[in-house]
Amino acid sequence: MTAQKLALAALFISLSAIGGMIKIPLGIASIALDSMPALVAVLFFSAPLAGTIAAFGHLISALFGGMPLGPFHLIIAFEMWAVVWLFAILHSARKRWLKWPAFIVGNGMVAAVPFYFLLSPAFFYASAPGLVIAASLNAGVAALLMPYVLRVRGGSLHAS
């Protein structure tokens, strides 16, 4: 990885941290715009690195929120990595119509499933609607920003 790519990755992680400070109170927890920069990062990076940006973004956002789920945030960070990895794979495969619902369903519903068993069914049912809304907001903002970022980048659609 070049110094330029490393600096750009750090910038996206920093943007995730800033997004993590933008809290949206939704039901059981406050949700943030921390995954939006990782979605935009697929324009620049491979799937594993975009996922890593999402994982670090979540951890930083959770730190700002006081780590309400304690060590479970490590599970969530891994889930964020996986969901953004899938998003990036779909983006690279030109499945642009599928990447958005895959992210929203993956981040909003599938990622909450382990907590049905780890915490309680009540936690799952209370948090899932807010997570779907938050995932939709993160995806919506990313979808609005991506064409402008592409113009700045020079029109290329793929990560190098």
Side-chain angles (χ1 to χ4, degrees), residues 12 36 40 43-44 100 140-157:
F12 275 105
M36 181 272 299
V40 176
L43 299 174
F44 298 91
W100 299 108
V141 173
L144 290 172
L145 289 177
M146 285 174 108
Y148 297 104
V149 173
L150 279 173
R151 278 195 224 147
V152 171
R153 184 168 190 256
S156 175
L157 293 175

Side-chain angles (χ1 to χ4, degrees), residues 110-148:
V110 176
V113 169
F115 297 96
Y116 181 96
F117 304 101
L118 293 172
L119 293 177
S120 74
F123 180 85
F124 171 81
Y125 291 119
S127 62
L131 290 172
V132 170
I133 292 168
S136 299
L137 286 172
N138 276 285
V141 173
L144 290 172
L145 289 177
M146 285 174 108
Y148 297 104

Side-chain angles (χ1 to χ4, degrees), residues 26-108:
L26 294 171
I28 197 164
S30 169
I31 312 298
L33 293 177
D34 57 335
S35 60
M36 181 272 299
L39 298 176
V40 176
V42 305
L43 299 174
F44 298 91
F45 300 111
S46 65
L49 187 51
T52 301
I53 290 167
F56 278 110
H58 170 75
L59 291 173
I60 293 168
S61 175
L63 282 171
F64 288 136
M67 298 288 278
L69 297 176
F72 288 130
H73 283 291
L74 294 174
I75 295 170
I76 298 167
F78 174 76
E79 291 172 332
M80 291 298 302
W81 181 91
V83 170
V84 172
W85 175 86
L86 175 62
F87 179 86
I89 293 295
L90 292 171
H91 176 81
S92 294
R94 299 188 185 273
K95 305 280 187 195
R96 290 182 175 72
W97 56 271
L98 183 59
K99 69 183 180 182
W100 299 108
F103 173 77
I104 292 167
V105 170
N107 191 25

